[in-house]
Amino acid sequence: MSQTKLQSFLEANVSTAIGFGISWAVTPFVMGAFGYSVGAGTAFGITVVYTVISIVRGYLVRRFFNRMVVRR
């Protein structure tokens, strides 16, 4: 049985929330390695942008593969 759209959305968000925390913690170090100095606020902003992109991507990929399974 495939997931509902809501279940797909929730799964993508839970996974992304975990990634959000990791990304926010790591961003200042990664940016520092490339010569940029960023504080917690800037790291948060960068992480928010990539998190939104990740949620949309995760949802669309999940729906695409669920549609492929249902058609077979």
Side-chain angles (χ1 to χ4, degrees):
M1 183 165 128
S2 68
Q3 292 179 322
T4 65
K5 290 180 181 181
L6 178 60
Q7 289 169 327
S8 296
F9 180 77
L10 291 174
E11 179 183 338
N13 280 294
V14 168
S15 177
T16 303
I18 293 167
F20 181 93
I22 293 168
S23 178
W24 187 18
V26 172
T27 295
F29 300 104
V30 172
M31 296 296 285
F34 287 93
Y36 300 100
S37 177
V38 298
T42 301
F44 184 82
I46 292 168
T47 302
V48 166
V49 170
Y50 283 113
T51 297
V52 170
I53 293 167
S54 181
I55 289 170
V56 172
R57 176 202 43 83
Y59 177 77
L60 293 175
V61 168
R62 171 66 63 161
R63 296 311 309 160
F64 173 76
F65 280 97
N66 277 333
R67 180 173 286 148
M68 287 179 51
V69 168
V70 169
R71 286 185 180 174
R72 291 183 183 192

